[in-house]
Amino acid sequence: MAGGSLGPTGVAKERAEQYQGKVTSYVIVACLVAATGGAIFGYDIGVSGGVTSMDEFLEEFFKTVYEKKKQAHESNYCKYDDQGLAAFTSSLYLAGLVSTLAASPITRNYGRRASIVCGGISFLVGAGLNAGAVNLPMLLVGRILLGVGIGFGNQAVPLYLSEVAPTHLRGGLNMMFQLATTLGIFTANMVNYGTQKLKPWGWRLSLGLAAFPALLMTLGGYLLPETPNSLVERGLTDRGRRVLEKLRGTQNVDAELQDMVDASELANSIKHPFRNILQKQHRPQLVMAICMPMFQILTGINSILFYAPVLFQTMGFGGNASLYSSALTGAVLVLSTLISIALVDKLGRRALLISGGIQMIICQAIVSVILGVKFGDNQELSKGYSVVVVIFICLFVVAFGWSWGPLGWTIPSEIFPLETRSAGQSITVAVNLLFTFIIAQAFLSLLCAFKFGIFLFFAGWVSVMTVFVYFLLPETKGVPIEEMTLLWKKHWFWKKMLPATNLDEGESNNNNETNSSV
């Protein structure tokens, strides 16, 4: 597209109706293989809470917590409050935060596959160190390497899925990442349920099995095709066209390819994407890249998934019962993600986020009331109330699974223009991991301080994010990824924030000329 003296302008007009193609087996296989990157993220979320509730693991590395756990007079809400134990869980996410920023230039300059492979190798090494750990430093080094793997994987995989998927199914196929994450959580819960019977080395098997999804991710990175968007951005347009034709199952890909070429011209003129993303024309996307992952974590879901066995033991469930209950929540999360995949490209993103938010608020309020009235420092919930608590926690997980769980990743990965897409995804992952780290590190202390009020704390945040979506998030369903920038210019709020462009001025002048001629 000619830019004249104005330089590259990116995608300047809508060509969505000209896009051709169908859902090919090539697309499905590519998305399934790439999505295994989510499995390593999910497996680690699920495995951490189960391992930290196993007596053999606590006795080996966290003897103070083990002794407190055995003291009957210890407050139910405070028996697991230990910063060292929290550091075991949260160190991974701090490492992921740093590594995802390093992954951005690799993803942009060498392709999405390169970051996927780097992430898989790092996770493999970390899983080996964790399984063979003989002291706390070795355990933490392993966790840090797992974090590096997650930082690279979470940065590259959602981008890969968004760029490979056809426009009309982008939401559902992008959610393969979240589906793999939920399957990883469920698998970890079931593994923990089995390995807690293998004393005293069961925890080593739980941590070591993380190598399996990491191996799949590494091999997938070698075997997958690069995305056509990345190939065009790096000047390999002919190769990009061949991949796009194979993905779409047709040779008539001129319109979609032209959008990529237009976007890449602008992308290649931007030398400092992190600096560029701070400019006013990218303000809406930047706000979403920060708020969507922040809100996703402030639903409180990770606290429930990390510490589900610990949380259920705190509420008086036995060791086996607590692991079984956390496995149940993992299974519910998988099923609800399937609901989201089926509905996201029919009902849209906003409807799922708002309905899910309302259900989460109600469930958290009910759980908080039950715990406040029926559960004290040194008493256990009755069997009947325990069942009610598990039911409402599962309903909370269902709501999260069809709303903020998958869409917290899908929306940021699809809204950025090509020139800032990799940087934008890095910010999304960094914010997600920052708040994951903060909540993971603080949750046991918050539980001790807030007691049953911890659920009201998260319900308050869910209320804020539901209002945010209602007023500030435009519907992205069916909008081609390279034409997403045009969406913000139509939104009632964001169009006031965006600077006027030469194209806008030209359209305004044309409208004035038309009106004057009439």
Side-chain angles (χ1 to χ4, degrees), residues 14-74:
E14 298 180 14
R15 300 188 182 93
E17 70 280 356
Q18 301 174 36
Y19 281 22
Q20 300 290 319
K22 57 186 179 181
V23 180
T24 61
S25 57
Y26 197 63
V27 166
I28 299 298
V29 171
C31 288
L32 286 173
V33 174
T36 57
I40 65 173
F41 187 40
Y43 187 86
D44 190 82
I45 290 174
V47 83
S48 299
V51 165
T52 53
S53 70
M54 294 182 188
D55 288 346
E56 294 75 26
F57 176 81
L58 293 175
E59 191 174 12
E60 178 85 21
F61 298 105
F62 303 99
K63 290 185 178 178
T64 303
V65 179
Y66 177 73
E67 291 168 2
K68 284 200 313 185
K69 182 181 176 183
K70 296 302 180 185
Q71 294 173 4
H73 62 81
E74 185 69 36

Coordinates of all heavy atoms in Angstrom, one line a residue, residues 14-74:
E14 N -11.1 -1.4 5.8 CA -11.6 -2.7 6.1 C -11.7 -3.6 4.9 O -12.3 -3.3 3.9 CB -12.9 -2.6 6.8 CG -12.9 -1.8 8.1 CD -14.2 -1.6 8.8 OE1 -15.2 -2.4 8.4 OE2 -14.3 -0.8 9.7
R15 N -11.1 -4.9 5.0 CA -11.2 -5.8 3.9 C -11.8 -7.2 4.4 O -11.7 -8.2 3.7 CB -9.8 -6.1 3.3 CG -9.1 -4.9 2.8 CD -7.8 -5.4 2.1 NE -7.0 -4.3 1.5 CZ -6.1 -3.6 2.2 NH1 -5.8 -4.0 3.4 NH2 -5.4 -2.6 1.6
A16 N -12.4 -7.2 5.6 CA -12.8 -8.4 6.2 C -13.7 -9.2 5.3 O -13.7 -10.4 5.3 CB -13.5 -8.1 7.6
E17 N -14.6 -8.5 4.6 CA -15.6 -9.2 3.8 C -15.0 -9.9 2.6 O -15.6 -10.8 2.0 CB -16.7 -8.3 3.3 CG -16.3 -7.3 2.3 CD -15.5 -6.1 2.9 OE1 -15.4 -6.0 4.1 OE2 -15.1 -5.2 2.1
Q18 N -13.7 -9.6 2.3 CA -13.0 -10.2 1.2 C -12.2 -11.4 1.6 O -11.6 -12.1 0.8 CB -12.1 -9.2 0.5 CG -12.8 -7.9 0.0 CD -11.8 -6.9 -0.5 OE1 -10.7 -7.2 -1.1 NE2 -12.1 -5.6 -0.3
Y19 N -12.1 -11.6 2.9 CA -11.3 -12.8 3.4 C -11.9 -14.1 2.9 O -13.1 -14.3 3.0 CB -11.2 -12.8 4.9 CG -10.2 -11.8 5.5 CD1 -9.8 -10.7 4.8 CD2 -9.7 -12.0 6.8 CE1 -8.9 -9.8 5.4 CE2 -8.9 -11.1 7.4 CZ -8.4 -10.0 6.7 OH -7.6 -9.1 7.3
Q20 N -11.1 -15.0 2.4 CA -11.5 -16.3 2.0 C -10.9 -17.4 2.8 O -9.9 -17.2 3.5 CB -11.1 -16.5 0.5 CG -11.7 -15.4 -0.5 CD -13.2 -15.6 -0.6 OE1 -13.7 -16.7 -0.8 NE2 -13.9 -14.5 -0.7
G21 N -11.4 -18.6 2.7 CA -10.8 -19.7 3.3 C -11.8 -20.5 4.2 O -12.9 -20.1 4.4
K22 N -11.3 -21.6 4.7 CA -12.1 -22.5 5.6 C -11.3 -23.0 6.7 O -10.1 -22.7 6.8 CB -12.7 -23.6 4.8 CG -11.5 -24.5 4.1 CD -12.1 -25.5 3.2 CE -10.9 -26.3 2.5 NZ -11.4 -27.3 1.6
V23 N -11.9 -23.7 7.7 CA -11.2 -24.3 8.8 C -10.5 -25.6 8.3 O -11.2 -26.5 7.9 CB -12.1 -24.6 10.0 CG1 -11.3 -25.2 11.1 CG2 -12.8 -23.3 10.4
T24 N -9.2 -25.6 8.2 CA -8.5 -26.7 7.7 C -7.9 -27.6 8.8 O -7.8 -27.1 9.9 CB -7.3 -26.3 6.8 OG1 -6.4 -25.5 7.6 CG2 -7.8 -25.4 5.6
S25 N -7.7 -28.8 8.5 CA -7.0 -29.7 9.5 C -5.7 -29.1 9.9 O -5.2 -29.3 11.0 CB -6.9 -31.1 8.9 OG -6.1 -31.1 7.7
Y26 N -5.0 -28.4 9.0 CA -3.7 -27.8 9.2 C -3.8 -26.8 10.4 O -3.0 -26.8 11.3 CB -3.2 -27.2 8.0 CG -1.8 -26.8 7.9 CD1 -0.8 -27.8 8.0 CD2 -1.3 -25.5 7.8 CE1 0.5 -27.5 7.9 CE2 0.0 -25.2 7.7 CZ 1.0 -26.2 7.7 OH 2.3 -25.9 7.7
V27 N -4.9 -26.0 10.4 CA -5.1 -25.0 11.4 C -5.4 -25.7 12.7 O -4.8 -25.3 13.8 CB -6.3 -24.1 11.1 CG1 -6.8 -23.3 12.3 CG2 -5.9 -23.1 9.9
I28 N -6.3 -26.7 12.7 CA -6.6 -27.4 14.0 C -5.4 -28.0 14.6 O -5.2 -27.9 15.8 CB -7.7 -28.4 13.7 CG1 -9.0 -27.8 13.1 CG2 -8.0 -29.2 15.0 CD1 -9.7 -26.8 14.0
V29 N -4.6 -28.7 13.8 CA -3.4 -29.4 14.4 C -2.5 -28.4 14.9 O -1.9 -28.5 16.0 CB -2.8 -30.3 13.3 CG1 -1.4 -30.8 13.8 CG2 -3.7 -31.5 12.9
A30 N -2.2 -27.3 14.2 CA -1.3 -26.3 14.6 C -1.7 -25.7 16.0 O -0.9 -25.5 16.9 CB -1.1 -25.2 13.6
C31 N -3.0 -25.4 16.1 CA -3.6 -24.8 17.3 C -3.5 -25.7 18.5 O -3.1 -25.4 19.6 CB -5.0 -24.3 17.1 SG -5.1 -22.8 16.0
L32 N -3.8 -27.0 18.2 CA -3.7 -28.0 19.3 C -2.3 -28.2 19.8 O -2.1 -28.2 21.1 CB -4.3 -29.4 18.8 CG -5.8 -29.5 18.6 CD1 -6.2 -30.8 18.0 CD2 -6.5 -29.3 20.0
V33 N -1.4 -28.3 18.9 CA 0.0 -28.5 19.3 C 0.6 -27.3 20.1 O 1.2 -27.4 21.1 CB 0.9 -28.8 18.1 CG1 2.4 -28.9 18.5 CG2 0.5 -30.2 17.5
A34 N 0.3 -26.1 19.5 CA 0.8 -24.8 20.1 C 0.2 -24.6 21.5 O 0.8 -24.2 22.4 CB 0.4 -23.6 19.2
A35 N -1.1 -25.0 21.7 CA -1.8 -24.8 22.9 C -1.2 -25.6 24.1 O -1.5 -25.3 25.3 CB -3.3 -25.1 22.8
T36 N -0.4 -26.6 23.8 CA 0.2 -27.4 24.9 C 1.1 -26.5 25.8 O 1.4 -26.8 26.9 CB 1.1 -28.6 24.4 OG1 2.1 -28.1 23.5 CG2 0.2 -29.6 23.6
G37 N 1.4 -25.3 25.2 CA 2.2 -24.3 26.1 C 1.3 -23.9 27.3 O 1.9 -23.6 28.3
G38 N 0.0 -23.9 27.1 CA -0.8 -23.6 28.3 C -0.8 -24.8 29.3 O -1.1 -24.5 30.5
A39 N -0.6 -26.0 28.8 CA -0.6 -27.1 29.7 C 0.5 -27.0 30.8 O 0.3 -27.4 32.0 CB -0.5 -28.4 28.9
I40 N 1.7 -26.5 30.4 CA 2.7 -26.4 31.4 C 2.4 -25.4 32.5 O 2.7 -25.5 33.6 CB 4.1 -26.2 30.8 CG1 4.2 -24.8 30.1 CG2 4.5 -27.3 29.8 CD1 5.6 -24.4 29.6
F41 N 1.7 -24.3 32.0 CA 1.3 -23.3 32.9 C 0.3 -23.8 33.9 O 0.4 -23.7 35.1 CB 0.7 -22.1 32.1 CG 0.4 -20.9 33.0 CD1 1.2 -20.4 34.0 CD2 -0.8 -20.1 32.7 CE1 0.9 -19.3 34.7 CE2 -1.1 -19.0 33.4 CZ -0.3 -18.6 34.4
G42 N -0.7 -24.5 33.4 CA -1.8 -25.1 34.2 C -1.3 -26.2 35.1 O -1.7 -26.2 36.3
Y43 N -0.4 -27.0 34.6 CA 0.1 -28.1 35.5 C 0.8 -27.5 36.7 O 0.6 -28.0 37.8 CB 1.1 -29.0 34.7 CG 1.5 -30.2 35.5 CD1 0.7 -31.4 35.4 CD2 2.7 -30.2 36.2 CE1 1.1 -32.5 36.2 CE2 3.0 -31.3 37.0 CZ 2.3 -32.5 37.0 OH 2.6 -33.6 37.7
D44 N 1.6 -26.5 36.5 CA 2.3 -25.9 37.6 C 1.4 -25.3 38.6 O 1.6 -25.4 39.8 CB 3.3 -24.9 37.2 CG 4.2 -24.5 38.3 OD1 5.2 -25.3 38.6 OD2 4.0 -23.5 39.0
I45 N 0.3 -24.6 38.1 CA -0.6 -24.0 39.0 C -1.3 -25.1 39.9 O -1.4 -24.9 41.1 CB -1.7 -23.2 38.3 CG1 -1.2 -21.9 37.6 CG2 -2.9 -22.8 39.2 CD1 -2.1 -21.2 36.7
G46 N -1.7 -26.2 39.2 CA -2.3 -27.2 40.0 C -1.4 -28.0 40.9 O -1.9 -28.4 42.0
V47 N -0.2 -28.3 40.5 CA 0.7 -29.2 41.2 C 1.2 -28.5 42.5 O 1.4 -29.1 43.5 CB 1.8 -29.7 40.4 CG1 3.0 -28.6 40.3 CG2 2.3 -31.0 40.8
S48 N 1.3 -27.2 42.5 CA 2.0 -26.5 43.6 C 1.2 -26.6 44.9 O 1.7 -27.0 46.0 CB 2.1 -25.0 43.3 OG 2.9 -24.8 42.2
G49 N -0.2 -26.4 44.8 CA -1.0 -26.5 46.0 C -1.0 -27.9 46.6 O -1.0 -28.1 47.8
G50 N -1.1 -28.9 45.7 CA -1.1 -30.3 46.2 C 0.2 -30.7 46.9 O 0.1 -31.3 48.0
V51 N 1.3 -30.3 46.3 CA 2.6 -30.7 46.9 C 2.8 -30.0 48.2 O 3.3 -30.6 49.2 CB 3.7 -30.3 45.9 CG1 5.1 -30.3 46.6 CG2 3.7 -31.3 44.7
T52 N 2.4 -28.7 48.3 CA 2.6 -28.0 49.6 C 1.7 -28.4 50.7 O 1.8 -27.9 51.8 CB 2.4 -26.4 49.3 OG1 1.2 -26.2 48.7 CG2 3.6 -25.9 48.5
S53 N 0.7 -29.3 50.4 CA -0.1 -29.8 51.4 C 0.3 -31.2 51.9 O -0.2 -31.8 52.8 CB -1.6 -29.9 51.0 OG -1.8 -30.9 50.0
M54 N 1.4 -31.8 51.2 CA 1.9 -33.1 51.5 C 2.9 -33.0 52.7 O 3.8 -32.3 52.6 CB 2.5 -33.8 50.3 CG 1.6 -34.0 49.1 SD 2.5 -34.8 47.7 CE 1.2 -34.8 46.5
D55 N 2.6 -33.9 53.7 CA 3.5 -33.8 54.9 C 4.9 -34.1 54.6 O 5.8 -33.5 55.1 CB 3.0 -34.8 55.9 CG 1.7 -34.4 56.5 OD1 1.3 -33.2 56.4 OD2 1.0 -35.2 57.2
E56 N 5.2 -35.0 53.7 CA 6.6 -35.4 53.4 C 7.4 -34.2 52.7 O 8.5 -34.0 53.0 CB 6.6 -36.6 52.4 CG 6.1 -37.9 53.0 CD 4.6 -37.9 53.1 OE1 3.9 -37.2 52.3 OE2 4.0 -38.6 53.9
F57 N 6.7 -33.5 51.9 CA 7.3 -32.3 51.3 C 7.6 -31.2 52.3 O 8.7 -30.7 52.3 CB 6.4 -31.8 50.1 CG 6.9 -30.5 49.5 CD1 7.9 -30.6 48.5 CD2 6.4 -29.3 49.9 CE1 8.4 -29.4 47.9 CE2 6.8 -28.1 49.3 CZ 7.8 -28.2 48.3
L58 N 6.6 -31.0 53.1 CA 6.7 -30.0 54.2 C 7.8 -30.3 55.2 O 8.6 -29.5 55.6 CB 5.4 -29.7 54.9 CG 4.3 -29.1 54.1 CD1 3.0 -29.1 54.9 CD2 4.6 -27.7 53.6
E59 N 7.9 -31.6 55.5 CA 8.9 -32.0 56.5 C 10.3 -31.9 55.9 O 11.3 -31.6 56.6 CB 8.6 -33.5 56.9 CG 9.4 -34.0 58.1 CD 9.0 -35.3 58.5 OE1 8.3 -36.0 57.8 OE2 9.5 -35.7 59.6
E60 N 10.4 -32.1 54.6 CA 11.7 -32.0 53.9 C 12.2 -30.6 53.8 O 13.4 -30.3 54.0 CB 11.6 -32.7 52.5 CG 12.9 -32.6 51.7 CD 13.8 -33.8 52.0 OE1 13.3 -34.8 52.5 OE2 15.0 -33.7 51.7
F61 N 11.3 -29.7 53.4 CA 11.8 -28.3 53.1 C 11.2 -27.2 54.0 O 11.8 -26.1 54.1 CB 11.4 -28.0 51.6 CG 12.0 -28.9 50.6 CD1 11.3 -29.9 50.0 CD2 13.4 -28.8 50.3 CE1 11.9 -30.7 49.1 CE2 14.0 -29.6 49.4 CZ 13.2 -30.6 48.7
F62 N 10.1 -27.5 54.6 CA 9.4 -26.4 55.4 C 9.0 -27.0 56.8 O 7.8 -27.1 57.0 CB 8.2 -25.8 54.6 CG 8.6 -25.3 53.3 CD1 8.4 -26.0 52.2 CD2 9.2 -24.0 53.2 CE1 8.7 -25.5 50.9 CE2 9.5 -23.5 51.9 CZ 9.3 -24.3 50.8
K63 N 10.0 -27.3 57.6 CA 9.7 -28.0 58.9 C 8.8 -27.1 59.8 O 8.0 -27.6 60.6 CB 11.0 -28.4 59.6 CG 11.7 -29.5 58.8 CD 12.9 -30.0 59.5 CE 13.6 -31.1 58.8 NZ 14.8 -31.6 59.4
T64 N 9.0 -25.8 59.8 CA 8.2 -24.9 60.6 C 6.7 -25.0 60.3 O 5.9 -25.1 61.2 CB 8.6 -23.4 60.5 OG1 10.0 -23.3 60.7 CG2 7.9 -22.5 61.4
V65 N 6.4 -25.0 59.0 CA 5.0 -25.2 58.6 C 4.5 -26.6 59.0 O 3.3 -26.7 59.5 CB 4.9 -25.0 57.1 CG1 3.4 -25.2 56.6 CG2 5.4 -23.6 56.7
Y66 N 5.3 -27.6 58.8 CA 4.9 -28.9 59.2 C 4.5 -29.0 60.6 O 3.5 -29.7 61.0 CB 6.0 -29.9 58.8 CG 5.8 -31.3 59.2 CD1 4.9 -32.1 58.5 CD2 6.5 -31.9 60.3 CE1 4.6 -33.4 58.9 CE2 6.2 -33.2 60.7 CZ 5.3 -34.0 60.0 OH 5.1 -35.3 60.3
E67 N 5.4 -28.4 61.5 CA 5.1 -28.5 62.9 C 3.8 -27.7 63.3 O 3.0 -28.1 64.1 CB 6.3 -27.9 63.7 CG 7.5 -28.8 63.6 CD 8.8 -28.1 64.1 OE1 8.7 -27.0 64.5 OE2 9.9 -28.8 64.0
K68 N 3.6 -26.5 62.6 CA 2.4 -25.7 62.9 C 1.2 -26.5 62.5 O 0.1 -26.4 63.1 CB 2.5 -24.4 62.2 CG 3.4 -23.3 62.8 CD 3.1 -21.9 62.4 CE 2.9 -21.7 60.9 NZ 2.7 -20.2 60.6
K69 N 1.3 -27.2 61.4 CA 0.1 -27.9 60.8 C -0.3 -29.0 61.8 O -1.5 -29.3 61.9 CB 0.5 -28.6 59.5 CG -0.6 -29.4 58.8 CD -0.1 -30.0 57.5 CE -1.2 -30.8 56.9 NZ -0.7 -31.5 55.7
K70 N 0.6 -29.5 62.6 CA 0.3 -30.6 63.5 C -0.2 -30.1 64.9 O -0.6 -30.9 65.7 CB 1.6 -31.5 63.8 CG 2.1 -32.2 62.6 CD 1.1 -33.1 62.0 CE 1.5 -33.9 60.8 NZ 0.5 -34.7 60.1
Q71 N -0.1 -28.8 65.1 CA -0.6 -28.2 66.4 C -2.1 -27.9 66.3 O -2.5 -27.1 65.5 CB 0.2 -26.9 66.7 CG 1.7 -27.2 66.9 CD 2.5 -25.9 67.1 OE1 1.9 -24.8 67.1 NE2 3.8 -26.0 67.2
A72 N -2.8 -28.6 67.2 CA -4.3 -28.5 67.1 C -4.8 -27.1 67.5 O -5.8 -26.7 67.0 CB -4.9 -29.5 68.1
H73 N -4.0 -26.4 68.3 CA -4.4 -25.0 68.8 C -4.2 -23.9 67.8 O -4.6 -22.8 68.0 CB -3.8 -24.7 70.1 CG -2.3 -24.5 70.0 ND1 -1.7 -23.4 69.5 CD2 -1.3 -25.4 70.3 CE1 -0.4 -23.6 69.6 NE2 -0.1 -24.8 70.1
E74 N -3.5 -24.2 66.7 CA -3.2 -23.2 65.7 C -4.4 -22.8 65.0 O -5.3 -23.6 64.6 CB -2.2 -23.8 64.7 CG -1.7 -22.8 63.6 CD -0.8 -21.7 64.2 OE1 0.0 -22.0 65.1 OE2 -0.9 -20.6 63.7

